[in-house]
Every structure is written in C-alpha cells, then in structure tokens.
Amino acid sequence: MSEYIISLDQGTTSSRAIIFNSNAEIISKAQVSFRQIYPKPGWVEHDPSDILKSQLNALNDAFKKSGAAARDIAGIGITNQRETTVVWNKNTGNPVYNAIVWQCRRTAPDCAELEKQGIGDRLREKTGLLIDAYFSGTKIKWILDNVPEARKQAEKGDLLFGTIDTWLIWNLTGGKAHVTDYSNAARTMIFDINKLQWDEELCRLLDIPMQMLPEPVPNSMVYGYLDGKKCGLPDLDGIPICGSAGDQQAALFGQACFNPGDAKNTYGTGCFTLMNIGNKPVLSSNNLITTLAWSLGGEPVYALEGSVFNAGSTIQWIRDELGIISSSHECDELAEQVSDSGGVYIVPAFTGLGAPYWDMYARGTITGLTRGSNKYHIARAVLDSIAYQVTDLINAMSADSVYPLSELRVDGGASVSNIMMQFQANLLGIPVNRPAQIETTALGAAYLAGLSAGLWKNTDQIARLRRADQVFNAEGSFGERTRLLGNWHRAVERASGWIEP
C-alpha cells in the first residue's frame, strides 16, 4: 500500500516540496527560490514559468532524496500563495503576462472606482471580502485591459485565468484540469462563498468573461493525474493530484482546527489569524474578512481571517536598520534579560495598520521611553508588539463569533520564541499551543490529499496525529492584562494619522 504523500508548497519567494509519511513525519524536502520582479514602485510580479520550473525541480529533488518508489506515493497535495493571478493561452500554454502577485498595489485605482460605485456592502455579502487590490479580481481586469489583444482573446475563449493552484494543476495534468479549490476561489473577489460559484454580477462589473474562469472544486478530491512526460518527471507519471488549499487555510487544516472556535496564528513576516466558524459564513462587525476554509464531502467550512502587516519584519527592523541585534534569535536573548519592557511600547505600523484597524495612514512609533530605557527593553517591546497585535485580532474574532476560544494554535518562524509565546498566552488568558510538526501549511495540503487517497480515514484520525511541542499556559491576573492592553491601545492612538490622506 502507498504510504507517502507529496506536498507542494508554492510560496511567494520559493517553491518547496515535502514528502510526509502516514504518521505526518517528514521523509524528505527540497526548496527552490525564484526571481522577484518589481517593474514600478508598488508593483510586484513573478514569471509563471519560473514558478512552475522551481516547483517541478523541488518535487524532483525531494522525490530523489526520499529513496521512495513511485508506487509508494499515494497522491500529491498543493498549497500556494493566495490571490496571485495568472492568465494564459489555453492553446499554447504560455502566459500572456507575468503573474501579478498578491502584494501588488497597481489596481488600487480600480478598487477606488468600485468603492465610488457603492457596491462594497453587496460585494462583502457575496464574497466575505473588502474591496482591495490584494484580491485577484482587479488583477484579472488589469491584464485584460492592458495586454494587447488579451481581452479579444479572452472573449473568444482562448485565455484561461487561475490563481497559483490552478496554474500548477493545469500544468501538472498536461492541460487536462482547469480547476481551483474553493479556498482559493474565495480570494478572488468574484466568488460567491454562499452559493460556491462564480458571481455573474461581479464578473460583469469587472468585465471578466466567465469562460476564462476555472471550475470551483472541493479541497479533497482527484483533480487529475500527473503527466510525467510533459512535466519531465517520468518516474512519477500517473500519481493523482488530489488535494489543494490556499496557504493560510492549509495551515488551519494542518493545525487540526476542525471544530468551530478553533483558531491558529502564523507568525511570519506578518501574522495571519484564522478561526474556524463552522458551516455558515458570518460577516464580521470588527473589520475582519470571511473566507472559505475548506470543503470536504460537500460540506463547506468557513473562517474569519485577520492579518497583521508587521510581525517578524519588526525583528528584522531592529536587526537591519537599528543594528541592535545581529540575528533574530538575539532578540529573544536580549528580551530575556528584563522582566518586562519597562513601559516601552512599539507600534510597528511601518506600512500602516492591518486588521482590525485598517489604518493605511498610521506610522510606527515608540512610546514610554525614559532615561533608563535600553536595548533590552526595546527588544522586549518588539516581541510584545507582535503579541499585542495578535491579541487585537483574536479579541475581534471572539466578538464576531459565537464560539468560545479555548486555546490558540501557533506556527511560523517567530513562534519559536518562548518568551513571546508566554506573553501571548498571558495577554489572551488562554493556552498557546505550539506543535511539534511546524510545517503546518505543507502538512495541511498533505492531509487533504491523503484523505482523498485513503491514507487517512477522517479528520478524527488526523487530529490524533497532532503533537504539541509546548503549551504555554496563561499567567497573571485579568487586571494586569487589562492594564497592559489599555496602554497598548493608547500607543496605537498615537501611531494613528501620522500621514495625511
């Protein structure tokens, strides 16, 4: 019986492949970086061919390292950078333009125009999203409006659109499967998360021909089979591609957050917090977005999502710009030298504030400095600032959700900081649970594929595989938490409105 699953983790700066066994243990992995393209200030692009090539090379390297035979591989799961947009010619397979990356802000004027039309509330009711250049819809429109002959070709039915999951699956199957999983479709701004289908009205508003859209499909099913000859991987020919989810939804699944009220936070450059809210979408009253988490067996699961713009990047800032530390780990070492931040608060609004504030005009501030403030207090305040921002997100989610939060599951590079995880638990007043297997995004895609391939029977079996590396239990009183958060919110007020709109 096949006992391994290959997970393809296609990220913003690199493509990775990880092979897991049935105990969710890593057998082998490989990573290949690719080129970043910045044509103009605020514009970010990737060459879709670079993405595909890097992913195939990572897959080949991981398979060779594993020592496994093709018969040992039960299936392939995919997780990906979300919202990044590719349009290609279905006859030649060639992209008509570079991929427009989720970070790209070129379509902000299009979003402003949509706002002027007064469709924000209607769009939010259908998609769960805010109007923003972050999402795919206006990116598709930009390509059709700005690439010569693109709109004419699209209207003839010659062009296809896809987010990165779609682009990979189409190529891996030799052009046989043009699909997108529900979690990625939900990030396009043209997908109705209530009806699980593309929305004609929104496509019409953005002037997007619906024939170029992929078929929306559940997150765990056979989409097609690897065309080993076309992909240059003859040894892996015929392996089913049978699981897919956007990276943050995959991490939620990989953390086994299967019950309403379960939540995870990924501590990376920024932070992404998602909470399972069950089988019915709930629109946020606290500036969060509602998204599809996954669908298994025809049953959709929804999530509330919020993002922090600057988390790990704040640690990088005191390393690269201030020179206070020489490595990220040194931030912990300095912070551990003091019992608290000494009243120093850092609001890292370098690029504005994300959820739940959504203040693009805020800028970073340091408050509470005294003559006795030193580098140890600064380091501690940096770690504290990340925990404060996540606490704001979690409190907003708790206000929106009827489900109580009993613990926060954590992952991502900065989650290795014990001192920050303890402070996070103290602020939330609930345990913070860090898993032994930190590759939760890739693992989530592996689980989705493995359920389809029969490697795992159900989510109960998957939940039993999760092991905690460490659980940080809350310390301190409610009064102390209230005092600290009150000071933090006063610091946020001082960061707000530094730049005039």
Side-chain angles (χ1 to χ4, degrees):
M1 177 181 173
S2 301
E3 56 179 327
Y4 300 141
I5 288 286
I6 297 175
S7 180
L8 304 183
D9 184 357
Q10 203 299 299
T12 307
T13 59
S14 68
S15 299
R16 302 192 307 152
I18 301 179
I19 300 181
F20 294 94
N21 65 16
S22 58
N23 292 319
E25 298 165 331
I26 293 175
I27 301 304
S28 66
K29 59 183 178 179
Q31 181 170 346
V32 179
S33 298
F34 57 89
R35 184 170 50 121
Q36 306 295 299
I37 303 169
Y38 307 103
K40 295 181 181 180
W43 290 30
V44 189
E45 297 178 0
H46 293 154
D47 184 335
S49 300
D50 288 347
I51 290 175
L52 178 61
K53 183 179 179 181
S54 64
Q55 190 64 81
L56 292 175
N57 286 341
L59 170 55
N60 188 46
D61 290 349
F63 179 64
K64 286 181 177 178
K65 289 178 183 177
S66 72
R71 65 179 178 274
D72 300 323
I73 308 297
I76 296 173
I78 293 171
T79 184
N80 57 284
Q81 54 166 314
R82 303 175 301 174
E83 298 93 21
T84 296
T85 297
V86 186
V87 175
W88 68 97
N89 187 296
K90 70 178 183 182
N91 302 309
T92 66
N94 295 325
V96 300
Y97 189 77
N98 279 337
I100 301 181
V101 179
W102 60 272
Q103 299 160 315
C104 187
R105 303 303 297 175
R106 77 183 66 189
T107 64
D110 293 306
C111 292
E113 184 58 36
L114 289 173
E115 289 280 10
K116 288 180 183 176
Q117 294 177 30
I119 67 162
D121 289 343
R122 194 157 78 253
L123 182 143
R124 187 162 168 267
E125 288 173 3
K126 291 182 176 185
T127 70
L129 307 177
L130 307 171
I131 295 175
D132 198 273
Y134 178 32
F135 304 111
S136 308
T138 54
K139 294 176 169 63
I140 305 170
K141 175 176 169 56
W142 189 94
I143 291 174
L144 296 180
D145 288 345
N146 290 276
V147 175
E149 301 296 312
R151 182 166 296 283
K152 184 185 297 184
Q153 292 178 45
E155 290 171 350
K156 283 174 55 182
D158 289 337
L159 298 189
L160 302 178
F161 152 73
T163 43
I164 297 302
D165 61 313
T166 303
W167 170 246
L168 290 178
I169 293 170
W170 192 85
N171 280 283
L172 290 170
T173 61
K176 294 183 179 66
H178 183 223
V179 299
T180 186
D181 71 79
Y182 289 146
S183 72
N184 275 291
R187 314 299 297 189
T188 59
M189 221 166 70
I190 54 173
F191 185 77
D192 189 322
I193 63 172
N194 305 284
K195 298 178 180 178
L196 304 184
Q197 64 186 35
W198 301 113
D199 187 83
E200 290 187 24
E201 178 193 13
L202 296 177
C203 288
R204 188 168 60 252
L205 281 169
L206 289 172
D207 204 10
I208 296 173
M210 294 187 73
Q211 64 262 35
M212 70 187 298
L213 304 178
E215 177 189 358
V217 291
N219 298 84
S220 182
M221 64 174 286
V222 176
Y223 311 125
Y225 298 87
L226 182 67
D227 189 326
K229 184 177 180 181
K230 286 189 177 180
C231 293
L233 300 166
D235 291 343
L236 296 176
D237 186 64
I239 292 177
I241 300 161
C242 49
S244 178
D247 53 8
Q248 298 306 319
Q249 291 98 324
L252 190 70
F253 201 87
Q255 285 273 31
C257 292
F258 301 138
N259 299 310
D262 288 350
K264 72 90 192 172
N265 183 68
T266 299
Y267 296 83
T269 301
C271 285
F272 288 91
T273 308
L274 274 74
M275 176 188 282
N276 182 328
I277 55 172
N279 302 124
K280 293 184 178 180
V282 175
L283 293 182
S284 172
S285 300
N286 294 280
N287 292 322
L288 305 175
I289 64 173
T290 304
T291 194
L292 268 160
W294 56 76
S295 175
L296 302 175
E299 189 81 1
V301 172
Y302 296 89
L304 288 171
E305 178 176 331
S307 56
V308 168
F309 293 161
N310 290 283
S313 58
T314 314
I315 300 173
Q316 295 167 350
W317 172 67
I318 67 166
R319 181 194 66 194
D320 300 339
E321 307 305 327
L322 300 188
I324 291 175
I325 58 176
S326 57
S327 67
S328 296
H329 178 65
E330 194 178 341
C331 187
D332 271 26
E333 294 176 345
L334 293 181
E336 288 167 353
Q337 302 304 309
V338 289
S339 59
D340 55 42
S341 70
V344 176
Y345 288 80
I346 294 178
V347 183
F350 305 129
T351 53
L353 287 169
Y357 301 102
W358 294 111
D359 184 352
M360 71 179 75
Y361 303 112
R363 287 297 179 266
T365 61
I366 303 178
T367 61
L369 291 171
T370 68
R371 182 63 182 80
S373 300
N374 56 43
K375 63 181 179 181
Y376 305 113
H377 296 117
I378 296 293
R380 184 66 180 260
V382 164
L383 299 180
D384 289 356
S385 74
I386 299 171
Y388 282 126
Q389 291 177 96
V390 172
T391 300
D392 284 341
L393 284 181
I394 293 296
N395 287 341
M397 286 183 177
S398 296
D400 282 330
S401 174
V402 299
Y403 301 104
L405 181 64
S406 58
E407 71 171 9
L408 177 64
R409 298 187 171 187
V410 299
D411 53 57
S415 70
V416 300
S417 170
N418 289 342
I419 189 171
M420 183 168 68
M421 293 301 97
Q422 184 59 61
F423 189 64
Q424 186 74 81
N426 297 349
L427 288 176
L428 292 172
I430 57 174
V432 167
N433 185 318
R434 185 174 62 199
Q437 177 52 269
I438 61 172
E439 294 284 4
T440 54
T441 301
L443 184 58
Y447 282 151
L448 289 166
L451 285 170
S452 176
L455 193 63
W456 296 290
K457 294 179 181 179
N458 49 46
T459 54
D460 289 339
Q461 183 183 5
I462 288 173
R464 289 194 293 271
L465 290 173
R466 190 184 185 279
R467 298 285 184 272
D469 166 61
Q470 190 167 346
V471 177
F472 300 86
N473 292 305
E475 300 173 353
S477 67
F478 175 78
E480 178 65 4
R481 290 198 296 273
T482 302
R483 183 186 70 83
L484 290 170
L485 285 169
N487 289 339
W488 161 254
H489 291 143
R490 281 192 287 276
V492 170
E493 288 174 7
R494 286 158 173 77
S496 181
W498 277 101
I499 303 299
E500 289 294 329

